[in-house]
Amino acid sequence: MRRKKYSAGSGNRPPHEGNPTSRRSLRLQLADAKRAVLERGWLTEQDAPFQRAILERATVESFPAGASVFHPGDYGSGIYGVVRGSFGVFVPSRGGEERLAHILQGGSWFGYGPIITRRQRILGFAAVEPSVALHVPLGALDKLATSDPGNLRALLTLREYGMDIAIATVADLLIPAVDKRIAATLLRCAAFSAAEPGRPLVVSGLTQAQIGELANAARDVVNRTLKRLEAKGWIEVSYRKITLLDPPALDSFCSSVGKLQQAPTAERCPPY
């Protein structure tokens, strides 16, 4: 079944669109949302005039868990910058099924393909938990790009971020050992979750089945691996939230030879 779609310009808007109180609330959120996307990610690396130009054209949108922003085959409607929550990146299989490949958290931007190619989208994006994002329409981006060659160069750098994610995803999925593949997937998906130095990295909003989809692993294998990683003191598992307590240890484990030892208890992680 295709996910319910709330994309810009679709005529099928999220529940808040017809609610005046919710609209006022979103306007109040806009200033905070703009500050949030300047804490980390692509926009922080651009010059101040370009940052202002992007944020002046942005509106804030909220998405319930499971709501799709784009499906493969859609045409452009602009870019989204993640403010809060997380969005899944879905890749179509040969059979047409959309498979979860990566998670984008605060500071990440997506939807930039049509800016460059003007072709149909090849990836899908959906909120995996209640989420908030800034939206900049494609028409506004086009005007920004044609007004200054520097603006066009800044927009094109978005593609480099996408390529970095694609390379990291392929590298993780090429790890033969499933326990290390799961650990590497947690590190990759949590990489942009900490806005401030010293704050723990977190993977949130995912079920164990979704982690298995990300790491190409069976759900029972994910459960056992999380339990062993937790027994090592490297992660902490709670309902739809995994806190990475020792990322360097996880990273070292992903590069090591050998497998995790069985946890000293037969108790399993609580299913979710």
Side-chain angles (χ1 to χ4, degrees):
M1 181 180 294
R2 288 169 68 86
R3 296 178 298 277
K4 190 173 182 181
K5 183 178 176 183
Y6 298 132
S7 60
S10 68
N12 180 15
R13 307 302 299 158
H16 64 69
E17 286 293 333
N19 185 323
T21 302
S22 294
R23 288 200 300 270
R24 286 195 295 271
S25 176
L26 287 177
R27 284 197 294 271
L28 292 174
Q29 292 177 24
L30 182 57
D32 289 338
K34 290 179 177 181
R35 283 192 291 270
V37 296
L38 290 175
E39 290 179 343
R40 57 200 185 278
W42 164 72
L43 197 57
T44 65
E45 299 185 4
Q46 312 310 316
D47 60 36
F50 181 79
Q51 290 177 352
R52 287 194 297 271
I54 287 289
L55 296 178
E56 285 170 359
R57 292 159 174 79
T59 57
V60 66
E61 295 189 17
S62 61
F63 297 85
S68 288
V69 187
F70 303 120
H71 283 288
D74 289 348
Y75 286 94
S77 64
I79 59 174
Y80 286 83
V82 184
V83 174
R84 184 172 65 249
S86 52
F87 290 81
V89 182
F90 292 82
V91 178
S93 67
R94 290 185 181 274
E97 182 184 5
E98 295 178 28
R99 302 280 295 174
L100 182 62
H102 186 62
I103 297 297
L104 300 172
Q105 299 197 68
S108 302
W109 291 78
F110 63 89
Y112 45 82
I115 301 174
I116 302 165
T117 66
R118 285 302 191 271
R119 294 184 295 188
Q120 292 175 297
R121 296 187 181 278
I122 59 174
L123 299 174
F125 298 89
V128 298
E129 60 183 324
S131 301
V132 176
L134 285 179
H135 174 235
V136 185
L138 183 59
L141 294 170
D142 284 340
K143 291 178 182 178
L144 194 60
T146 56
S147 67
D148 186 330
N151 292 340
L152 177 59
R153 285 193 296 271
L155 289 169
L156 291 177
T157 61
L158 275 168
R159 195 164 192 170
E160 296 303 311
Y161 283 82
M163 183 59 68
D164 289 346
I165 290 171
I167 292 171
T169 301
V170 171
D172 290 347
L173 291 174
L174 288 175
I175 297 173
V178 65
D179 51 358
K180 295 177 183 179
R181 196 162 64 243
I182 291 168
T185 298
L186 295 177
L187 284 167
R188 169 167 50 85
C189 291
F192 288 99
S193 65
E196 301 172 7
R199 287 181 57 182
L201 299 176
V202 173
V203 178
S204 63
L206 295 176
T207 65
Q208 290 182 12
Q210 287 172 318
I211 294 171
E213 190 172 354
L214 286 162
N216 194 22
R219 184 187 174 284
D220 62 324
V221 176
V222 171
N223 190 288
R224 291 196 300 270
T225 300
L226 293 180
K227 188 63 182 177
R228 294 173 188 176
L229 294 174
E230 190 169 37
K232 290 279 189 180
W234 297 344
I235 67 172
E236 181 179 72
V237 180
S238 55
Y239 181 72
R240 292 205 176 195
K241 180 179 178 182
I242 299 174
T243 303
L244 277 55
L245 302 177
D246 195 343
L250 280 173
D251 188 56
S252 178
F253 166 66
C254 293
S255 306
S256 66
V257 176
K259 295 183 178 180
L260 281 170
Q261 296 298 313
Q262 177 69 46
T265 173
E267 182 182 344
R268 290 165 62 86
C269 287
Y272 57 88

